[in-house]
């Protein structure tokens, strides 16, 4: 017998679908329910590698953590990794299968993947008591409905009740709720059970008349009003916000342990990927993280991070065009700390041979690390572990570039020359002992009286955040009604709201 299910849709992108999904998952698992997350199709440059070597969206990996289960490719069978305005790498069941334009994907390839998506969902529902699915964008994107496999397309085929989340902090939430339903076909509307208001500030009693009117207009109830909370969120799919950075900046935290703060500047390169790597730095009391795009912003930085990117050659060109490349070379020569991660590591090397990603052939790098990179067609997807600075380190690798290191001191899979460090390992800074040792080295090189806190646990902070999301659902949503949805599906007899989807 299949387990229960629910699709969390949104009135817009960034309405809070990922957060609400994680919160429902954490609430359910605390009730003893065996639950798993699912997102049929994800578009994101922030990804993660499962233990079996499959690449999935980081949001689904964090939702799996909310469920206290190991993430697998079943939870995110289709991942799209943008490579520019018009094309994306398609990752199917954790492995890249090619590049497609948006027109090519929505023109037929997407529908071909529906069978795989449905099989994955069915397998999860056969294994778990409940599967909480996350939609993408809005279910009322009428230009994409015919080929949809992530919103109403999957809800219809799998008979999933749909909860629509709206961000009231942006304004227009009532119009967004009503318009979302009214632009769906009668068959799709039958599955839209109701609404969840996200990020509300103020007195809920003032909102209740509007919720009553919305119920009168649509015949659908509101399942909860979640209050605005600073710094809540899981690993971002897109955008420039960093989840735990927000927690540290926007909530009351311990002051620096030492006399000084440590300033970290992250180069906001094009197609930046896995910028969540710096979350662990921002979780440290006294570490200030900011994204930069001008060379003068590096002047007062104690550490500059060049993060991963889906376009290494494009990132190099961007760094040079903005004067950041020269600033990085000067920093390296002056023995001021620089850390390159994945694509950021590659740009710091001598040259890149790229006939895969940009197809530009040989491109000169910044030449501050004795590394030569050749792009392979096969993508490296691993979960390495090792030691650096006398501490145990774990990470994950997602890259086409194969680095040949010809000097310097060994550093994870890369190298170190003076105060310039490079590695392909994402997530290494989440290893608490290593992060503290690295920050001590940075502080010494920068001449800062910064001392890492001895008790900061990144894993514990992440668990606390997931528990806070579970608390929001438990305290501010009608959990009995939510469980009825998950177990029994959408209520019968929901009214049709005209005009419905265009013919």
């Amino acid at each position: 017998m299949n387990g229960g299910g629910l699709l969390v849709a949104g009135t817009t992108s960034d309405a809070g679908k990922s957060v609400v999904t994680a919160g429902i998952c954490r609430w359910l698992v605390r009730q003893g329910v065996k639950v798993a997350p699912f997102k049929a199709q994800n578009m994101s440059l922030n990804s993660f590698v499962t233990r079996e070597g499959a690449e999935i969206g980081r949001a689904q990996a964090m939702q799996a953590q909310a469920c206290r289960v190991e993430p697998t490719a079943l939870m995110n069978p289709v991942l799209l990794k943008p490579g520019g305005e018009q094309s994306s790498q398609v990752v199917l069941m954790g492995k890249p299968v090619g590049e497609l334009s948006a027109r090519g994907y929505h023109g037929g390839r997407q529908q071909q993947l529906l069978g795989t998506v449905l099989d994955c969902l069915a397998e999860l529902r056969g294994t778990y008591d409940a599967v909480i699915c996350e939609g993408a964008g809005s279910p009322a994107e009428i230009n994409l409905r015919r080929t949809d496999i992530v919103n109403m397309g999957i809800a219809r085929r799998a008979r999933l009740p749909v909860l629509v989340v709206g961000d009231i902090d942006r304004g227009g939430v009532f119009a967004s709720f009503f318009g979302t339903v009214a632009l769906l076909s009668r068959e799709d509307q039958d599955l839209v059970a109701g609404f969840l208001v996200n990020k509300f500030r103020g007195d809920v009693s003032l909102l209740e008349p509007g919720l009553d009117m919305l119920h009168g207009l649509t015949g659908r109830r509101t399942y909860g009003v979640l209050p605005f909370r600073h710094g809540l969120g899981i690993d971002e799919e897109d955008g420039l916000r960093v989840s735990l950075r927000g927690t540290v900046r926007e909530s009351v935290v311990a002051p620096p342990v030492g006399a000084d703060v440590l300033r970290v500047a992250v180069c906001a390169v094009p197609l930046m990927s896995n910028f969540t790597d710096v979350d662990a730095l921002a979780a440290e009391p006294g570490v200030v993280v900011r994204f930069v795009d001008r060379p003068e912003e590096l002047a007062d930085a104690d550490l500059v991070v060049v993060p991963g990117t889906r376009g290494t050659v494009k990132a190099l060109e961007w760094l040079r065009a903005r004067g950041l490349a020269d600033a990085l070379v000067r920093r390296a020569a002056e023995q001021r700390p620089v850390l390159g991660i994945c694509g950021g590591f590659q740009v710091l090397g001598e040259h890149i041979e790229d006939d895969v990603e940009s197809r530009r052939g040989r491109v000169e790098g910044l030449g501050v690390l004795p590394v030569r990179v050749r792009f392979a067609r096969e993508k490296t997807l691993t979960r390495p572990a090792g030691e650096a600075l006398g501490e145990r380190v774990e990470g994950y690798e997602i890259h086409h570039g194969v680095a040949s290191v010809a000097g310097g001191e060994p550093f994870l899979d890369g190298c170190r020359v003076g105060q310039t460090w490079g590695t392909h390992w994402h997530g290494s800074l989440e290893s608490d002992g290593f992060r503290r040792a690295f920050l001590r080295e940075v502080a010494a090189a920068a001449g800062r009286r910064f001392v890492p806190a001895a008790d900061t646990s990144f894993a514990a902070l992440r668990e606390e955040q997931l528990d806070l999301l579970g608390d929001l659902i438990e305290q501010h949503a009608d959990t009995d009604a939510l469980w009825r949805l998950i177990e029994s599906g959408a209520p019968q007899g929901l009214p049709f709201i005209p005009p419905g989807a265009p013919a």
Side-chain angles (χ1 to χ4, degrees):
M1 179 179 174
N2 276 348
L6 174 70
L7 176 70
V8 178
T11 56
T12 61
S13 295
D14 203 33
K17 297 183 292 292
S18 295
V19 169
V20 168
T21 299
I24 293 174
C25 286
R26 179 49 61 101
W27 160 65
L28 284 171
V29 80
R30 294 196 307 209
Q31 310 309 307
V33 177
K34 188 180 178 185
V35 58
F38 179 77
K39 186 162 185 173
Q41 170 197 295
N42 197 346
M43 177 173 279
S44 178
L45 287 171
N46 284 338
S47 57
F48 182 76
V49 179
T50 67
R51 294 209 178 276
E52 68 268 27
E55 185 179 8
I56 66 172
R58 271 199 70 104
Q60 279 60 65
M62 285 292 285
Q63 289 163 357
Q65 184 176 348
C67 298
R68 297 180 179 143
V69 298
E70 190 67 32
T72 73
L74 292 172
M75 298 170 183
N76 179 205
V78 181
L79 173 64
L80 305 178
K81 303 193 72 175
E85 294 296 324
Q86 299 294 329
S87 67
S88 294
Q89 183 181 64
V90 182
V91 179
L92 178 62
M93 294 304 294
K95 304 295 181 184
V97 294
E99 297 272 342
L100 273 181
S101 67
R103 181 176 293 276
Y105 184 69
H106 290 287
R109 178 60 168 156
Q110 188 176 32
Q111 271 292 297
Q112 295 170 11
L113 300 175
L114 179 60
T116 299
V117 164
L118 290 169
D119 288 346
C120 290
L121 179 56
E123 187 170 341
L124 288 173
R125 295 182 78 180
T127 306
Y128 291 89
D129 301 327
V131 179
I132 309 303
C133 308
E134 180 188 342
S138 161
E141 290 166 348
I142 54 180
N143 56 315
L144 302 178
R145 177 61 185 91
R146 184 179 61 83
T147 57
D148 170 52
I149 65 171
V150 64
N151 290 307
M152 300 313 300
I154 192 78
R156 282 270 293 277
R157 295 294 292 268
R159 304 307 301 168
L160 293 170
V162 178
L163 183 70
V164 181
V165 178
D167 179 357
I168 197 170
D169 197 49
R170 292 181 170 188
V173 75
F174 292 116
S176 297
F177 282 147
F178 183 87
T180 296
V181 178
L183 280 176
L184 300 178
S185 69
R186 186 181 298 274
E187 294 78 11
D188 286 351
Q189 288 191 25
D190 285 344
L191 294 172
V192 178
F195 314 108
L196 187 76
V197 176
N198 192 28
K199 298 184 184 177
F200 179 71
R201 305 173 190 250
D203 185 347
V204 175
S205 66
L206 299 177
L207 187 66
E208 287 170 351
L211 301 179
D212 291 341
M213 286 185 273
L214 182 67
H215 184 270
L217 288 165
T218 67
R220 290 159 175 84
R221 56 167 299 180
T222 298
Y223 285 77
V225 178
L226 306 186
F228 187 97
R229 290 287 185 268
H230 285 288
L232 282 180
I234 57 176
D235 288 356
E236 302 288 350
E237 292 183 355
D238 298 293
L240 275 181
R241 289 195 318 281
V242 180
S243 55
L244 288 182
R245 171 188 174 199
T247 301
V248 171
R249 279 188 154 187
E250 297 176 356
S251 60
V252 178
V253 297
V257 176
D260 292 338
V261 299
L262 207 64
R263 295 173 175 84
V264 178
V266 183
C267 296
V269 297
L271 299 174
M272 183 165 45
S273 61
N274 287 67
F275 53 80
T276 47
D277 282 331
V278 299
D279 279 358
L281 292 178
E284 286 283 350
V287 175
V288 179
V289 177
R290 67 183 188 271
F291 289 92
V292 303
D293 60 4
R294 297 191 301 269
E296 54 269 26
E297 294 178 293
L298 305 189
D300 67 343
D302 303 306
L303 169 67
V304 174
V305 177
V306 189
T309 172
R310 174 80 165 89
T312 304
V313 171
K314 184 177 291 187
L316 258 174
E317 293 172 342
W318 182 86
L319 290 167
R320 286 186 167 121
R322 289 182 171 262
L324 285 160
D326 290 340
L328 288 168
V329 172
R330 284 196 301 273
R331 280 189 70 92
E334 294 165 359
Q335 299 295 304
R336 301 179 65 200
V338 176
L339 171 64
I341 303 174
C342 200
F345 165 41
Q346 295 168 9
V347 306
L348 296 175
E350 295 172 358
H351 69 251
I352 297 166
E353 293 281 351
D354 182 10
D355 295 318
V356 176
E357 193 175 76
S358 69
R359 297 180 174 86
R360 293 280 296 277
R362 180 177 169 126
V363 178
E364 297 303 310
L366 301 188
V368 296
L369 288 177
V371 175
R372 297 175 181 180
V373 176
R374 177 186 55 82
F375 271 61
R377 297 200 176 278
E378 197 73 23
K379 183 184 279 192
T380 297
L381 295 167
T382 62
R383 290 271 293 270
E387 188 175 295
L389 303 179
E391 300 286 348
R392 176 78 173 169
V393 189
E394 294 183 1
Y396 56 99
E397 294 185 54
I398 306 170
H399 55 92
H400 284 279
V402 179
S404 298
V405 179
E409 300 175 45
F411 175 63
L412 302 177
D413 71 326
C415 67
R416 169 190 183 180
V417 173
Q419 292 300 321
T420 301
W421 318 61
T423 177
H424 275 129
W425 290 24
H426 294 290
S428 62
L429 294 165
E430 296 178 20
S431 298
D432 297 327
F434 166 70
R435 181 180 66 253
R436 287 192 278 268
F438 176 69
L439 289 176
R440 281 193 290 270
E441 291 241 2
V442 168
R448 296 287 186 190
R449 293 172 297 167
F450 169 85
V451 179
D455 57 353
T456 301
S457 166
F458 183 76
L461 284 171
R462 206 154 47 176
E463 276 295 304
E464 287 173 15
Q465 194 175 44
L466 291 169
D467 277 331
L468 286 171
L469 295 178
D471 292 343
L472 279 181
I473 297 298
E474 189 168 339
Q475 296 167 12
H476 300 282
D478 186 340
T479 51
D480 289 341
L482 273 181
W483 178 246
R484 286 194 296 273
L485 274 187
I486 293 166
E487 193 174 39
S488 305
Q492 298 296 306
L494 292 169
F496 172 71
I497 308 302

